[in-house]
Amino acid sequence: MEAVIVGAGTFGASLAWWFARDGGRVTLVDQFGPGDPRASSGGETRLYRCAHGPDSEYTAMARRARMLWRQLEDESGEELLVECGMAWFAHHDDGWEAASERTLAAQAIPVERLDIASASKLYPSFRGDDLAFVLLEPEGGVLRAERSMRTLAAQAVSHGARIVRGRATPDGPAVVLEDSTRLEGDLVVWACGPWLPKLFPDLVSLRVTQQELLFLDGGPAWRAPGVPAWCDYERSRYGTADIDEVGAKAGIDDEGPPLDPDADLPSTTRTEAEVRAYLRDRFPMLEHAPLIGARSCRYEITADTRLIAAPHPEHASVWIVGGGSGHGLKHGPPMAERLATALASETTLPADFALGERSGSQSLRTASSSRPAS
Ligand SMILES: Cc1cc2nc3c(=O)[nH]c(=O)nc-3n(C[C@H](O)[C@H](O)[C@H](O)COP(=O)(O)OP(=O)(O)OC[C@H]3O[C@@H](n4cnc5c(N)ncnc54)[C@H](O)[C@@H]3O)c2cc1C
């Protein structure tokens, strides 16, 4: 099979790895190159978790992702997934976290419900007086994002894929580069993250925003490999311990200001006061920790926070994949596997991966991800 894949973020690079490993002739096109900070898959780390509330399909796909990322690690010798655990701060006895617990348990995915006294032992400093319990995924953790993209692309190349740097435009079933080179294949995939609505305005509906991440110097205690990543679904706050000495990460998942995909990433610390207010309530030791850095990110979100993976309505050999919605990075390899399986069996993927407008439903990211910016 001849495959042309545009976009070397998690979805495109995973597809390139998958098809090249399967013996396909793969060309992977990207305007920047794999692991670029301007892409939505850029940045140091992303949370890896299986909890998705009551959604059993995404739970299973995240679990499958762990196996596939481990395969990539074995193949490449790179350490990509840091299994430091993932803690969810539950404000109610029967909310998102309790639903996640039931879904995880039904799929025999390790999960523990901790009382606040036990949870406080997970962190160098912790306050949980506003919480009902903490849900711990001991096999959750953190993926090294840019390193994972470079590794996927490098492994694709080691299996024979070709990487082409350039900006592409769709022309019917073909891909046209700025120098007029025309690429065609049995399969063409547009996996262009936040750029998809510009390329396919009638088919893809995504909001593109600027999000911010702060990195704080919490000292050696926050560098311990056993400090779990964390998410407060209801308050839409999340973070990690210090992985690779870049600082303890904390961010706000409220939808940020709109950002044109081609605009430079602004350098701001607009969320610092809000992040510090949350840290005061949750991890008091970090409230006044020195700021090591702030990172601005490009973020693309569907109205229902579900991914996109569907054929183009007019060109059966062309697929559009993306819609990561703040939780998609981990799903790159299992989505590649699913797409390959669908193509081999000449089926499509479930309807909730469809193109076009979506309507809101319970967010798979955090509570505020499904609320449009005011
Ligand atoms: C702040 C933030 C936090 C997140 N947190 C998590 C998390 O905790 N866990 C998780 O799993 N996910 C998380 N995500 C989501 C996840 O990182 C993204 O949704 C996912 O990585 C998007 O991948 P992609 O391949 O669709 O897009 P991208 O990574 O943006 O890749 C698209 C690529 O296409 C290229 N491209 C675009 N247009 C063209 C063109 N015309 N020609 C050539 N090349 C083109 C771009 O250069 C880019 O490299 C987060 C995202 C952000 C921004």
Side-chain angles (χ1 to χ4, degrees), residues 268-356:
T268 64
T269 50
R270 69 179 163 79
T271 58
E272 184 174 353
E274 275 177 283
V275 169
R276 288 194 187 278
Y278 183 80
L279 295 173
R280 179 195 61 223
D281 295 348
R282 186 69 66 227
F283 305 115
M285 205 174 119
L286 286 179
E287 183 192 355
H288 299 297
L291 186 66
I292 301 176
R295 189 186 254 282
S296 207
C297 312
R298 219 180 294 286
Y299 192 92
E300 75 293 346
I301 188 161
T302 56
D304 62 359
T305 68
R306 268 69 181 167
L307 306 181
I308 298 168
H312 190 289
E314 289 161 21
H315 309 289
S317 60
V318 177
W319 279 65
I320 296 171
V321 180
S325 304
H327 66 99
L329 189 125
K330 71 183 90 48
H331 293 304
M335 283 299 287
E337 180 182 46
R338 293 185 75 168
L339 182 52
T341 306
L343 289 168
S345 57
E346 296 186 13
T347 55
T348 53
L349 292 172
D352 62 355
F353 291 116
L355 299 170

Side-chain angles (χ1 to χ4, degrees), residues 37-82:
R38 289 167 288 187
S40 181
S41 305
E44 289 79 6
T45 55
R46 294 287 187 273
L47 305 183
Y48 168 75
R49 43 93 176 201
C50 291
H52 286 79
D55 195 308
S56 55
E57 182 179 357
Y58 278 83
T59 300
M61 189 156 68
R63 186 65 175 169
R64 178 68 182 155
R66 178 173 179 269
M67 169 88 78
L68 299 180
W69 286 112
R70 291 293 189 215
Q71 274 181 22
L72 180 67
E73 288 181 322
D74 289 346
E75 210 182 85
S76 64
E78 293 285 345
E79 285 180 33
L80 305 174
L81 180 55
V82 181

Side-chain angles (χ1 to χ4, degrees), residues 145-280:
E146 288 178 7
R147 193 190 296 183
S148 297
M149 299 309 105
R150 287 193 294 271
T151 303
L152 283 165
Q155 287 311 116
V157 168
S158 79
H159 294 294
R162 175 172 78 111
I163 298 189
V164 173
R165 177 116 182 225
R167 179 132 173 160
T169 313
D171 182 15
V175 171
V176 180
L177 304 182
E178 283 157 312
D179 65 1
S180 303
T181 304
R182 198 176 166 83
L183 303 171
E184 296 184 56
D186 308 309
L187 172 71
V188 167
V189 181
W190 293 89
C192 295
W195 289 266
L196 282 175
K198 276 195 163 182
L199 292 162
F200 301 101
D202 299 333
L203 300 177
V204 177
S205 177
L206 282 172
R207 299 194 297 272
V208 181
T209 63
Q210 180 241 352
Q211 304 298 129
E212 210 173 80
L213 295 166
L214 301 185
F215 295 88
L216 300 151
D217 183 359
W222 282 89
R223 284 201 286 272
V227 180
W230 55 272
C231 183
D232 187 327
Y233 179 88
E234 198 168 312
R235 289 185 64 186
S236 299
R237 309 289 186 256
Y238 65 99
T240 71
D242 184 347
I243 311 273
D244 299 332
E245 304 200 9
V246 296
K249 178 169 105 173
I252 289 188
D253 200 43
D254 297 340
E255 201 168 298
L259 182 68
D260 187 282
D262 290 310
D264 290 338
L265 286 169
S267 52
T268 64
T269 50
R270 69 179 163 79
T271 58
E272 184 174 353
E274 275 177 283
V275 169
R276 288 194 187 278
Y278 183 80
L279 295 173
R280 179 195 61 223

